[in-house]
Amino acid sequence: MYGAHLTVAHLSDKMNISTNLNPLCFFPFFKASSSLAFPYLPHKSLCLTTVDDQNPSTMGYIQKTKNVLKCVLLLPVVLCIVYFTGPSVRLMIGLLPMQRCTLGSAEMLILDNAADARLDLQSRPDVQTCTSWRAPIIWEGMFDPDLYDQIHRKQGSSVALTVFAIGRYLDAYLEAFLNSSEHHFMLGLPVSYYVFTDTPEKVKSIKLGPQRSLRVIQVQRHTRWQDISMMRMKTISDTIESDIRHHCTHVFCFDVDQVFTGRFGPEALGDSVAQLHAHYYRLPKKLFTYDRNPKSQAFIETGDFYYHAAVFGGSWKDVKALTEACYKSIMEDKQNNVEALWHDESHLNKYFWIHKPSRILSPEYCWDTSIRNRTDIRVFRLLWAPKHYNKLRT
Ligand code: UDP
Ligand code: MN
């Protein structure tokens, strides 16, 4: 690439190629790495200068000034394009059709429980309400919330919620996450919080409702944020084995950088529960960011959906199997000196490709409000909190 760059530079001396619209000309200091940062840009990005054979210094100076002026005048145009492209692309993505559920009635679903047979799969013609392997995708309007409350109370369901708040994530997010969960998460069922942190003394006490308890468990702080995120799989699996399996029927695992804003109830409970990623549920599969490195255990060529690792759950048995398998794959990758593109999320997507989830949650259950104008999101149940990676990550 560097060779090509030189050749074009040489030609442009003679041909007076100085006015192309490569945005790099606004930032000449990027040029050295331009082939890496902007591989799609032509490398004859030489708005810098040309040399006139007759009067090199004067002509060169005039040409340079002209170029600088052009760049300055074009800057607002480029900024406008950048500013408006994001929102309009997102708007257009919202118009892409989802696949349709082809089942005639909910009785044809593989049921997680009796209430699922009463799901109204036709009530949401704007979205996909079941998968090809006959699992429901839960959207507002499809279910009777009271029925799920009753059935799970009768069945004696109880839920463990695991959340990690390590390093600066504790101060930034934990309190708001737990307080909001007390208002919206599985109200009416026994809930046990398992908070994993490196600084237990910093966890503030939260006012808990009846039948709700909280345990703080100290864990090691890994140096890299990628390891903090990935090693959650091991901790969850160990804690299910040593504790959760004796007290709870189900487990839900959450990122801490989110806030509950609406009902997140027992309609979300099932044997193996995956979350549709808010940014991908309407995109064509080709654009899913699965791990594409054949050397990684997370490698997949294709999948069903792109799932978000910020929310997953299921029966304690299924979540134990999932977390154990993902941890094993993560460690194999480490031994082979590779790391999956999106860390634990890549491994989770591989796992759910092989072991289909029995239930999928719509993006209402984990929404990013920076995506606007989506009429299919009828209720916000859990929202992404603002991310401040620079300040928070180690
Ligand atoms: N996490 C943490 N401390 C860190 C990094 C991550 O506690 O320094 C935990 C936290 O629960 C966080 C989760 O790991 O929500 C996943 O990381 P993050 O939210 O940064 O990932 P992203 O949402 O960008 O995928
Ligand atoms: Mn997160």
Side-chain angles (χ1 to χ4, degrees), residues 202-230:
K202 283 174 75 183
V203 177
K204 297 203 181 116
S205 77
I206 302 283
K207 197 168 172 295
L208 298 172
Q211 289 196 291
R212 297 171 83 94
S213 63
L214 187 147
R215 279 191 60 189
V216 181
I217 299 172
Q218 183 154 21
V219 289
Q220 181 195 347
R221 177 181 183 166
H222 293 277
T223 336
R224 298 169 64 241
W225 61 264
Q226 296 91 335
D227 287 328
I228 294 178
S229 190
M230 288 192 292

Side-chain angles (χ1 to χ4, degrees), residues 52-72:
D52 185 284
D53 289 340
Q54 310 303 315
N55 192 350
S57 65
T58 321
M59 287 308 289
Y61 178 76
I62 292 171
Q63 199 58 52
K64 234 183 212 171
T65 315
K66 268 184 175 173
N67 287 338
V68 169
L69 272 176
K70 274 177 193 159
C71 289
V72 168

